[in-house]
Amino acid sequence: MSELRFGIIGCGVIGRLQARVLTSYPPLAGRARLVAMAASSRDSAGARQAAAETGCEATDVASLLARDDIDAVSVCTPSGLHAELGRAALAAGKHVMVEKPIDVSVRAADQLIEAARRAGRVLAVMSQRRFDLASRVVRDALEAGELGTPTSASVEVPLWHGRSYYASDGWRGTLALDGGGALISQGVHSLDLVQWLLGPVVEVKAHTALLGHTGIGVEDVVTASLRHASGALTSLLTTTAAFPGRTTRLAVHGDRGSAVIDNDELVYFHAADAETDTLAEGAFGAGNQADLRRPAAAAQERDSCGLLRGPHGEQLLDFCDAVAEGRPPAVDGPAGREALRTALAVYEAARTGATVRVARAAGENQRLMRTVPSPTPSPAGRWRGELFAAPGRR
């Protein structure tokens, strides 16, 4: 298979993580090569620093998109710019990977998906937790029926983001470019993962609050009750106001077994065998089979930002394979739209106090079709109008 040449737009934490993965994850050797990075604003110094770390070139967005030695673009910018930049990359003939969420409105997501279809290019949404080894073990067990009938799940994302986090970039904590707060920015990966494991969410009840921060326009606490199409129920908590911050935890339960993933590791697993009397009283956490279920693999490396490199690398490898084989990637545009649609349903349920049905098709439930306003210019410079301006035209 031929080598796929990448450009990255966005030089923040995630853009730099992807750059390090592209240049150092062994299975990507000979399959992917990072050519250039560009900042999504006038932060040319940030682009130069990010590029220097991985030995690629620093450039601006317009020049990156115009290069004929770049086959694919990874968009790692503020969420509200994902679709806009993704469409520009598709128009330039590139394949596109966008960070989560796919964008901050269903309308923008639909426009990006349609643009990829018209261009005949691969579109993927980074959802690396589906590629965690622990997630794969739980998914396989569910598909094999080892946990019996799935009955419930609990998702806990108890993070802390201090004032410096929101002050670090003018777009953080804004509805226009962040799309929301703790849920859509931090919890959306877990929301995607629980739907991948238990199936699509069809109904939502929720509350949101801003309790631990001031000066931001989005929530820092979300609680929700989710009903899946199968009938299984999920309890969701995601927050950026849980000092000092703890690890993300997902528990999945069925009538013949349970599994718990904490900090991307399988910490508990128990599945009843054929001789087990499930009519008896429970074991209250005893009988942990996690050691027997963990795949034999080398120790997973964590990046300097705290995330595992392997899952990002495996999703990028799947993206390369999808381009080479002419097939959809494992997490395509519609899959990214599903996670966004559910997040917006949570927000709608919290806003109205009503039980909200999650839209099942494009155009259904117009309340979720938010129009994102143009962002207010930040001290770092206006976002739109400068995005595609080469240095000589600024």
Side-chain angles (χ1 to χ4, degrees):
M1 294 182 180
S2 60
E3 185 178 64
L4 199 64
R5 300 166 297 180
F6 278 81
I8 294 177
I9 301 177
C11 300
V13 172
I14 295 301
R16 294 186 186 203
L17 167 62
Q18 281 201 26
R20 289 189 288 269
V21 171
L22 282 168
T23 54
S24 65
Y25 187 61
L28 285 171
R31 299 298 318 283
R33 177 163 59 89
L34 180 59
V35 174
M37 297 184 70
S40 59
S41 67
R42 284 185 170 178
D43 185 18
S44 57
R48 289 195 300 271
Q49 182 182 10
E53 290 178 3
T54 50
C56 69
E57 295 182 43
T59 186
D60 59 273
V61 173
S63 299
L64 185 149
L65 295 180
R67 294 180 68 139
D68 58 10
D69 62 344
I70 289 178
D71 309 303
V73 170
S74 184
V75 179
C76 301
T77 64
S79 303
L81 300 175
H82 287 175
E84 178 180 343
L85 286 166
R87 293 198 311 272
L90 290 164
K94 318 300 185 187
H95 302 283
V96 172
M97 166 82 77
V98 299
E99 254 299 331
K100 60 77 188 168
I102 187 171
D103 203 275
V104 299
S105 77
V106 175
R107 178 177 293 123
D110 286 340
Q111 291 171 345
L112 179 58
I113 293 167
E114 176 60 18
R117 186 194 66 78
R118 290 197 309 266
R121 295 293 185 266
V122 172
L123 169 65
V125 181
M126 181 58 75
S127 303
Q128 80 280 354
R129 291 196 64 196
R130 296 191 187 194
F131 292 80
D132 289 346
L133 295 177
S135 300
R136 292 298 179 96
V137 168
V138 177
R139 167 87 172 197
D140 289 346
L142 286 165
E143 289 188 334
E146 292 184 85
L147 303 186
T149 299
T151 58
S152 64
S154 62
V155 175
E156 188 180 7
V157 187
L159 308 179
W160 171 254
H161 284 326
R163 186 185 301 273
S164 61
Y165 170 83
Y166 293 103
S168 64
D169 284 295
W171 60 271
R172 294 193 188 278
T174 67
L175 184 61
L177 288 178
D178 233 355
L183 177 63
I184 201 168
S185 291
Q186 281 76 39
V188 70
H189 275 307
S190 296
L191 194 59
D192 171 77
L193 183 60
V194 77
Q195 291 190 102
W196 186 61
L197 294 173
L198 294 186
V201 170
V202 296
E203 193 174 85
V204 173
K205 298 177 79 94
H207 291 87
T208 62
L210 178 61
L211 299 174
H213 299 87
T214 59
I216 63 174
V218 295
E219 87 288 345
D220 62 8
V221 183
V222 178
T223 61
S225 176
L226 315 174
R227 185 169 67 83
H228 298 263
S230 66
L233 302 177
T234 289
S235 171
L236 169 72
L237 164 67
T238 179
T239 178
T240 55
F243 185 82
R246 295 191 296 107
T247 52
T248 296
R249 188 177 182 90
L250 169 66
V252 175
H253 310 291
D255 63 1
R256 293 191 64 80
S258 297
V260 179
I261 300 171
D262 193 300
N263 200 27
D264 305 316
E265 303 287 348
L266 186 68
V267 298
Y268 182 84
F269 186 97
H270 187 99
D273 58 29
E275 287 74 40
T276 300
D277 179 10
T278 57
L279 297 178
E281 190 173 3
F284 301 101
N288 191 353
Q289 304 162 358
D291 287 343
L292 303 175
R293 292 289 178 149
R294 294 188 188 101
Q300 298 187 74
E301 181 183 1
R302 288 196 180 270
D303 187 76
S304 57
C305 70
L307 297 175
L308 292 172
R309 288 190 180 185
H312 282 84
E314 289 302 307
Q315 185 164 0
L316 286 165
L317 186 61
D318 172 78
F319 181 76
C320 293
D321 289 344
V323 171
E325 298 166 11
R327 63 164 174 83
V331 189
D332 58 9
R337 184 185 188 276
E338 185 80 14
L340 170 65
R341 192 167 50 186
T342 304
L344 295 182
V346 170
Y347 286 139
E348 183 72 3
R351 185 185 70 82
T352 63
T355 298
V356 171
R357 295 279 301 178
V358 181
R360 303 309 308 158
E364 184 182 349
N365 197 344
Q366 293 299 312
R367 292 174 299 176
L368 302 184
M369 304 288 280
R370 293 185 176 179
T371 300
V372 180
S374 296
T376 302
S378 71
R382 293 182 302 276
W383 292 98
R384 305 184 194 279
E386 293 182 352
L387 280 170
F388 308 109
R393 298 198 295 272
R394 286 177 182 154

